[in-house]
mmCIF file of all heavy atoms in Angstrom:
data_model
loop_
_atom_site.group_PDB
_atom_site.id
_atom_site.type_symbol
_atom_site.label_atom_id
_atom_site.label_comp_id
_atom_site.label_asym_id
_atom_site.label_seq_id
_atom_site.Cartn_x
_atom_site.Cartn_y
_atom_site.Cartn_z
ATOM 1 N N LEU A 113 107.764 167.420 159.340
ATOM 2 C CA LEU A 113 107.760 168.862 159.595
ATOM 3 C C LEU A 113 107.784 169.148 161.083
ATOM 4 O O LEU A 113 107.290 168.366 161.885
ATOM 5 C CB LEU A 113 106.489 169.484 159.015
ATOM 6 C CG LEU A 113 106.250 169.187 157.538
ATOM 7 C CD1 LEU A 113 104.782 169.015 157.257
ATOM 8 C CD2 LEU A 113 106.814 170.266 156.683
ATOM 9 N N LEU A 114 108.337 170.307 161.405
ATOM 10 C CA LEU A 114 108.312 170.778 162.776
ATOM 11 C C LEU A 114 107.198 171.814 162.877
ATOM 12 O O LEU A 114 107.196 172.793 162.140
ATOM 13 C CB LEU A 114 109.665 171.417 163.112
ATOM 14 C CG LEU A 114 109.753 172.192 164.429
ATOM 15 C CD1 LEU A 114 109.475 171.287 165.616
ATOM 16 C CD2 LEU A 114 111.125 172.839 164.565
ATOM 17 N N ALA A 115 106.239 171.560 163.768
ATOM 18 C CA ALA A 115 105.128 172.506 163.940
ATOM 19 C C ALA A 115 105.339 173.301 165.219
ATOM 20 O O ALA A 115 105.568 172.735 166.285
ATOM 21 C CB ALA A 115 103.807 171.746 164.020
ATOM 22 N N THR A 116 105.284 174.630 165.086
ATOM 23 C CA THR A 116 105.423 175.497 166.254
ATOM 24 C C THR A 116 104.304 176.533 166.236
ATOM 25 O O THR A 116 103.635 176.714 165.210
ATOM 26 C CB THR A 116 106.784 176.231 166.251
ATOM 27 O OG1 THR A 116 106.978 176.852 164.971
ATOM 28 C CG2 THR A 116 107.942 175.294 166.533
ATOM 29 N N GLN A 117 104.153 177.201 167.360
ATOM 30 C CA GLN A 117 103.155 178.262 167.465
ATOM 31 C C GLN A 117 103.406 179.293 166.376
ATOM 32 O O GLN A 117 104.512 179.763 166.202
ATOM 33 C CB GLN A 117 103.306 178.919 168.849
ATOM 34 C CG GLN A 117 102.432 180.129 169.084
ATOM 35 C CD GLN A 117 100.959 179.774 169.118
ATOM 36 O OE1 GLN A 117 100.564 178.810 169.726
ATOM 37 N NE2 GLN A 117 100.159 180.547 168.423
ATOM 38 N N SER A 118 102.363 179.652 165.653
ATOM 39 C CA SER A 118 102.510 180.615 164.571
ATOM 40 C C SER A 118 102.583 182.025 165.139
ATOM 41 O O SER A 118 101.890 182.347 166.099
ATOM 42 C CB SER A 118 101.300 180.500 163.660
ATOM 43 O OG SER A 118 101.571 181.141 162.461
ATOM 44 N N ALA A 119 103.422 182.839 164.525
ATOM 45 C CA ALA A 119 103.518 184.236 164.960
ATOM 46 C C ALA A 119 102.209 184.947 164.623
ATOM 47 O O ALA A 119 101.532 184.576 163.674
ATOM 48 C CB ALA A 119 104.676 184.898 164.233
ATOM 49 N N PRO A 120 101.855 185.995 165.364
ATOM 50 C CA PRO A 120 100.621 186.723 165.049
ATOM 51 C C PRO A 120 100.701 187.349 163.670
ATOM 52 O O PRO A 120 101.788 187.522 163.126
ATOM 53 C CB PRO A 120 100.567 187.822 166.120
ATOM 54 C CG PRO A 120 101.675 187.562 167.069
ATOM 55 C CD PRO A 120 102.591 186.539 166.486
ATOM 56 N N ALA A 121 99.558 187.686 163.130
ATOM 57 C CA ALA A 121 99.492 188.248 161.775
ATOM 58 C C ALA A 121 100.473 189.393 161.630
ATOM 59 O O ALA A 121 100.631 190.209 162.524
ATOM 60 C CB ALA A 121 98.086 188.747 161.510
ATOM 61 N N GLY A 122 101.102 189.438 160.455
ATOM 62 C CA GLY A 122 102.003 190.551 160.190
ATOM 63 C C GLY A 122 103.433 190.227 160.595
ATOM 64 O O GLY A 122 104.365 190.737 160.019
ATOM 65 N N ALA A 123 103.603 189.365 161.583
ATOM 66 C CA ALA A 123 104.957 189.082 162.047
ATOM 67 C C ALA A 123 105.643 188.082 161.133
ATOM 68 O O ALA A 123 106.833 188.136 160.917
ATOM 69 C CB ALA A 123 104.919 188.550 163.458
ATOM 70 N N GLY A 124 104.853 187.155 160.585
ATOM 71 C CA GLY A 124 105.452 186.144 159.716
ATOM 72 C C GLY A 124 105.694 186.704 158.335
ATOM 73 O O GLY A 124 105.166 187.748 157.962
ATOM 74 N N ALA A 125 106.492 185.990 157.563
ATOM 75 C CA ALA A 125 106.775 186.429 156.201
ATOM 76 C C ALA A 125 105.492 186.379 155.368
ATOM 77 O O ALA A 125 105.302 187.149 154.439
ATOM 78 C CB ALA A 125 107.836 185.542 155.592
ATOM 79 N N GLU A 126 104.600 185.455 155.754
ATOM 80 C CA GLU A 126 103.366 185.287 154.981
ATOM 81 C C GLU A 126 102.482 186.524 155.103
ATOM 82 O O GLU A 126 101.858 186.944 154.153
ATOM 83 C CB GLU A 126 102.576 184.078 155.499
ATOM 84 C CG GLU A 126 103.359 182.791 155.486
ATOM 85 C CD GLU A 126 103.551 182.246 154.095
ATOM 86 O OE1 GLU A 126 102.586 181.774 153.497
ATOM 87 O OE2 GLU A 126 104.694 182.324 153.595
ATOM 88 N N GLY A 127 102.427 187.055 156.339
ATOM 89 C CA GLY A 127 101.619 188.264 156.514
ATOM 90 C C GLY A 127 100.134 187.949 156.537
ATOM 91 O O GLY A 127 99.401 188.443 157.372
ATOM 92 N N THR A 128 99.673 187.114 155.631
ATOM 93 C CA THR A 128 98.249 186.804 155.586
ATOM 94 C C THR A 128 97.956 185.738 156.611
ATOM 95 O O THR A 128 98.631 184.733 156.665
ATOM 96 C CB THR A 128 97.860 186.250 154.206
ATOM 97 O OG1 THR A 128 98.718 185.143 153.924
ATOM 98 C CG2 THR A 128 98.038 187.305 153.147
ATOM 99 N N PHE A 129 96.940 185.982 157.414
ATOM 100 C CA PHE A 129 96.617 184.984 158.423
ATOM 101 C C PHE A 129 95.223 184.470 158.176
ATOM 102 O O PHE A 129 94.322 185.248 157.908
ATOM 103 C CB PHE A 129 96.747 185.590 159.810
ATOM 104 C CG PHE A 129 97.152 184.557 160.795
ATOM 105 C CD1 PHE A 129 98.416 184.011 160.713
ATOM 106 C CD2 PHE A 129 96.278 184.095 161.745
ATOM 107 C CE1 PHE A 129 98.813 183.020 161.583
ATOM 108 C CE2 PHE A 129 96.666 183.098 162.627
ATOM 109 C CZ PHE A 129 97.940 182.567 162.545
ATOM 110 N N PRO A 130 95.047 183.158 158.242
ATOM 111 C CA PRO A 130 93.734 182.614 157.941
ATOM 112 C C PRO A 130 92.669 183.179 158.872
ATOM 113 O O PRO A 130 92.914 183.383 160.048
ATOM 114 C CB PRO A 130 93.889 181.113 158.167
ATOM 115 C CG PRO A 130 95.239 180.905 158.692
ATOM 116 C CD PRO A 130 96.026 182.141 158.573
ATOM 117 N N VAL A 131 91.517 183.438 158.324
ATOM 118 C CA VAL A 131 90.415 183.952 159.115
ATOM 119 C C VAL A 131 89.821 182.790 159.916
ATOM 120 O O VAL A 131 89.619 181.712 159.385
ATOM 121 C CB VAL A 131 89.334 184.546 158.172
ATOM 122 C CG1 VAL A 131 88.161 185.085 158.984
ATOM 123 C CG2 VAL A 131 89.952 185.638 157.317
ATOM 124 N N VAL A 132 89.561 183.062 161.169
ATOM 125 C CA VAL A 132 88.979 182.028 162.022
ATOM 126 C C VAL A 132 87.475 181.959 161.768
ATOM 127 O O VAL A 132 86.794 182.973 161.784
ATOM 128 C CB VAL A 132 89.254 182.339 163.509
ATOM 129 C CG1 VAL A 132 88.548 181.349 164.415
ATOM 130 C CG2 VAL A 132 90.746 182.336 163.773
ATOM 131 N N GLU A 133 87.004 180.755 161.517
ATOM 132 C CA GLU A 133 85.570 180.586 161.266
ATOM 133 C C GLU A 133 84.770 180.913 162.530
ATOM 134 O O GLU A 133 85.223 180.667 163.633
ATOM 135 C CB GLU A 133 85.288 179.117 160.906
ATOM 136 C CG GLU A 133 85.616 178.778 159.490
ATOM 137 C CD GLU A 133 85.308 177.307 159.222
ATOM 138 O OE1 GLU A 133 84.608 176.684 160.031
ATOM 139 O OE2 GLU A 133 85.784 176.805 158.188
ATOM 140 N N PRO A 134 83.538 181.403 162.342
ATOM 141 C CA PRO A 134 82.693 181.645 163.513
ATOM 142 C C PRO A 134 82.495 180.340 164.279
ATOM 143 O O PRO A 134 82.392 179.279 163.677
ATOM 144 C CB PRO A 134 81.359 182.095 162.908
ATOM 145 C CG PRO A 134 81.609 182.353 161.466
ATOM 146 C CD PRO A 134 82.898 181.730 161.082
ATOM 147 N N GLY A 135 82.467 180.428 165.592
ATOM 148 C CA GLY A 135 82.265 179.213 166.384
ATOM 149 C C GLY A 135 83.564 178.532 166.774
ATOM 150 O O GLY A 135 83.568 177.646 167.609
ATOM 151 N N LEU A 136 84.675 178.949 166.168
ATOM 152 C CA LEU A 136 85.967 178.359 166.548
ATOM 153 C C LEU A 136 86.688 179.317 167.491
ATOM 154 O O LEU A 136 86.719 180.513 167.265
ATOM 155 C CB LEU A 136 86.846 178.131 165.317
ATOM 156 C CG LEU A 136 86.546 176.924 164.428
ATOM 157 C CD1 LEU A 136 87.570 176.863 163.311
ATOM 158 C CD2 LEU A 136 86.555 175.628 165.211
ATOM 159 N N GLN A 137 87.276 178.745 168.512
ATOM 160 C CA GLN A 137 88.016 179.571 169.458
ATOM 161 C C GLN A 137 89.505 179.440 169.163
ATOM 162 O O GLN A 137 90.022 178.331 169.051
ATOM 163 C CB GLN A 137 87.696 179.062 170.870
ATOM 164 C CG GLN A 137 88.297 179.902 171.963
ATOM 165 C CD GLN A 137 88.171 179.208 173.312
ATOM 166 O OE1 GLN A 137 87.614 178.121 173.411
ATOM 167 N NE2 GLN A 137 88.703 179.819 174.352
ATOM 168 N N ARG A 138 90.174 180.587 169.033
ATOM 169 C CA ARG A 138 91.615 180.537 168.752
ATOM 170 C C ARG A 138 92.387 180.284 170.038
ATOM 171 O O ARG A 138 92.204 180.983 171.015
ATOM 172 C CB ARG A 138 92.047 181.870 168.138
ATOM 173 C CG ARG A 138 93.500 181.880 167.732
ATOM 174 C CD ARG A 138 93.894 183.183 167.130
ATOM 175 N NE ARG A 138 93.259 183.373 165.824
ATOM 176 C CZ ARG A 138 93.723 184.202 164.897
ATOM 177 N NH1 ARG A 138 94.792 184.916 165.137
ATOM 178 N NH2 ARG A 138 93.120 184.329 163.745
ATOM 179 N N ARG A 139 93.232 179.267 170.024
ATOM 180 C CA ARG A 139 94.006 178.935 171.220
ATOM 181 C C ARG A 139 95.460 178.683 170.851
ATOM 182 O O ARG A 139 95.788 178.508 169.692
ATOM 183 C CB ARG A 139 93.418 177.689 171.895
ATOM 184 C CG ARG A 139 91.987 177.910 172.358
ATOM 185 C CD ARG A 139 91.371 176.667 172.922
ATOM 186 N NE ARG A 139 92.013 176.276 174.176
ATOM 187 C CZ ARG A 139 91.858 175.074 174.717
ATOM 188 N NH1 ARG A 139 91.119 174.161 174.130
ATOM 189 N NH2 ARG A 139 92.449 174.768 175.851
ATOM 190 N N LEU A 140 96.313 178.649 171.867
ATOM 191 C CA LEU A 140 97.733 178.427 171.615
ATOM 192 C C LEU A 140 97.992 176.956 171.300
ATOM 193 O O LEU A 140 97.315 176.073 171.827
ATOM 194 C CB LEU A 140 98.559 178.834 172.837
ATOM 195 C CG LEU A 140 98.580 180.328 173.148
ATOM 196 C CD1 LEU A 140 99.281 180.585 174.463
ATOM 197 C CD2 LEU A 140 99.250 181.123 172.028
ATOM 198 N N LEU A 141 98.996 176.733 170.477
ATOM 199 C CA LEU A 141 99.336 175.374 170.057
ATOM 200 C C LEU A 141 99.634 174.466 171.257
ATOM 201 O O LEU A 141 99.347 173.289 171.233
ATOM 202 C CB LEU A 141 100.539 175.406 169.103
ATOM 203 C CG LEU A 141 100.936 174.068 168.486
ATOM 204 C CD1 LEU A 141 99.868 173.576 167.524
ATOM 205 C CD2 LEU A 141 102.269 174.163 167.765
ATOM 206 N N ARG A 142 100.191 175.059 172.305
ATOM 207 C CA ARG A 142 100.563 174.215 173.448
ATOM 208 C C ARG A 142 99.351 173.510 174.068
ATOM 209 O O ARG A 142 99.470 172.455 174.674
ATOM 210 C CB ARG A 142 101.336 175.004 174.500
ATOM 211 C CG ARG A 142 100.562 176.101 175.182
ATOM 212 C CD ARG A 142 101.249 176.485 176.502
ATOM 213 N NE ARG A 142 100.414 177.418 177.217
ATOM 214 C CZ ARG A 142 100.675 178.724 177.315
ATOM 215 N NH1 ARG A 142 101.748 179.235 176.743
ATOM 216 N NH2 ARG A 142 99.876 179.512 177.992
ATOM 217 N N ASN A 143 98.153 174.112 173.901
ATOM 218 C CA ASN A 143 96.942 173.454 174.408
ATOM 219 C C ASN A 143 96.645 172.164 173.636
ATOM 220 O O ASN A 143 96.197 171.174 174.200
ATOM 221 C CB ASN A 143 95.739 174.392 174.311
ATOM 222 C CG ASN A 143 95.888 175.586 175.242
ATOM 223 O OD1 ASN A 143 96.165 175.415 176.420
ATOM 224 N ND2 ASN A 143 95.752 176.780 174.720
ATOM 225 N N LEU A 144 96.892 172.220 172.334
ATOM 226 C CA LEU A 144 96.698 171.024 171.505
ATOM 227 C C LEU A 144 97.747 169.970 171.874
ATOM 228 O O LEU A 144 97.441 168.779 171.992
ATOM 229 C CB LEU A 144 96.808 171.393 170.021
ATOM 230 C CG LEU A 144 96.726 170.245 169.016
ATOM 231 C CD1 LEU A 144 95.415 169.480 169.154
ATOM 232 C CD2 LEU A 144 96.871 170.762 167.583
ATOM 233 N N VAL A 145 98.978 170.430 172.060
ATOM 234 C CA VAL A 145 100.065 169.511 172.422
ATOM 235 C C VAL A 145 99.748 168.801 173.738
ATOM 236 O O VAL A 145 99.863 167.576 173.843
ATOM 237 C CB VAL A 145 101.415 170.274 172.534
ATOM 238 C CG1 VAL A 145 102.516 169.350 173.036
ATOM 239 C CG2 VAL A 145 101.807 170.856 171.181
ATOM 240 N N SER A 146 99.282 169.560 174.744
ATOM 241 C CA SER A 146 99.023 168.901 176.029
ATOM 242 C C SER A 146 97.808 167.979 175.945
ATOM 243 O O SER A 146 97.765 166.941 176.599
ATOM 244 C CB SER A 146 98.889 169.922 177.169
ATOM 245 O OG SER A 146 97.914 170.871 176.851
ATOM 246 N N TYR A 147 96.843 168.315 175.097
ATOM 247 C CA TYR A 147 95.691 167.426 174.896
ATOM 248 C C TYR A 147 96.152 166.079 174.314
ATOM 249 O O TYR A 147 95.776 165.017 174.785
ATOM 250 C CB TYR A 147 94.684 168.103 173.959
ATOM 251 C CG TYR A 147 93.568 167.180 173.501
ATOM 252 C CD1 TYR A 147 92.450 166.950 174.304
ATOM 253 C CD2 TYR A 147 93.629 166.539 172.266
ATOM 254 C CE1 TYR A 147 91.432 166.106 173.895
ATOM 255 C CE2 TYR A 147 92.612 165.688 171.840
ATOM 256 C CZ TYR A 147 91.515 165.475 172.663
ATOM 257 O OH TYR A 147 90.518 164.628 172.249
ATOM 258 N N LEU A 148 96.983 166.140 173.292
ATOM 259 C CA LEU A 148 97.459 164.902 172.662
ATOM 260 C C LEU A 148 98.356 164.102 173.608
ATOM 261 O O LEU A 148 98.315 162.878 173.641
ATOM 262 C CB LEU A 148 98.196 165.218 171.354
ATOM 263 C CG LEU A 148 97.315 165.711 170.196
ATOM 264 C CD1 LEU A 148 98.176 166.202 169.037
ATOM 265 C CD2 LEU A 148 96.358 164.627 169.717
ATOM 266 N N LYS A 149 99.172 164.820 174.373
ATOM 267 C CA LYS A 149 100.038 164.145 175.351
ATOM 268 C C LYS A 149 99.184 163.384 176.361
ATOM 269 O O LYS A 149 99.453 162.237 176.702
ATOM 270 C CB LYS A 149 100.860 165.194 176.106
ATOM 271 C CG LYS A 149 102.254 165.413 175.587
ATOM 272 C CD LYS A 149 102.976 166.244 176.632
ATOM 273 C CE LYS A 149 104.191 166.942 176.082
ATOM 274 N NZ LYS A 149 104.575 168.076 176.925
#
Side-chain angles (χ1 to χ4, degrees):
L113 306 144
L114 170 61
T116 50
Q117 175 66 44
S118 195
E126 304 287 289
T128 54
F129 211 68
V131 180
V132 175
E133 281 180 15
L136 282 182
Q137 185 191 359
R138 184 180 291 202
R139 298 176 67 195
L140 292 173
L141 185 68
R142 65 161 187 254
N143 294 309
L144 176 58
V145 175
S146 54
Y147 170 82
L148 290 171
K149 263 192 200 159

